[in-house]
Amino acid sequence: KRVLFRSLIGAPFVTVSGKVSAGRGYLLFDPNLTLTDLNLENSTVTINGTESLHSLSKVVAGNGDIDGDGIPDFGIAVPSAFFIQFFLGKNATQWSADNIDPNFLLFNNSQNLNNSSGENIPRFLSINGDVNGDGYHDILIGADQEGTNSNLNGRVYLLFGRSDFNPINNGSLEDVADVIFIEIGRAHV
């Protein structure tokens, strides 16, 4: 019987190996898990932040299948370090402490975010809907303070899921997004 992860829980302010607020993500695979049974230290997989104040897992998304293999995929954002890690799903038995590297990254370093387009911290991440109706779940990423220094209107990036979802290393959202929604002006009430 294949067991898929049931829950992805973020703990962005956890101290890891003496690094304050490095953050930690927990994957729980037990389909019978209830809140009364919940003990994060006994999770099937933990994904640890590596730097102080990076707050890994401050933004998490899961339960969508972006590559169409029938296994939920998930993403973990590290907003203060300007990147998002994406993991293509595996069976519970395929996960181990030595096998938790992300399949691909977006915004691997802050240089991608401090360019002329002013890309900013990803504050919203979703992998649970099929926006274009092709049968694959799609990824939405929101950067609410993106723009130039005088005009931080924000953007939403849409990446379409597909069966050949290839790893993208050091990718800028400007380069890999299928659609970019740009706020032109703000309404004030």
Side-chain angles (χ1 to χ4, degrees), residues 10-27:
F13 305 111
V14 167
T15 296
V16 177
S17 299
K19 296 179 178 164
V20 177
S21 292
R24 178 175 288 151
Y26 299 92
L27 284 178

Side-chain angles (χ1 to χ4, degrees), residues 12-13 34 76 88 91 103 112 168 187:
F13 305 111
T34 66
I76 297 180
L88 299 179
N91 290 327
N103 292 87
N112 285 336
I168 305 163

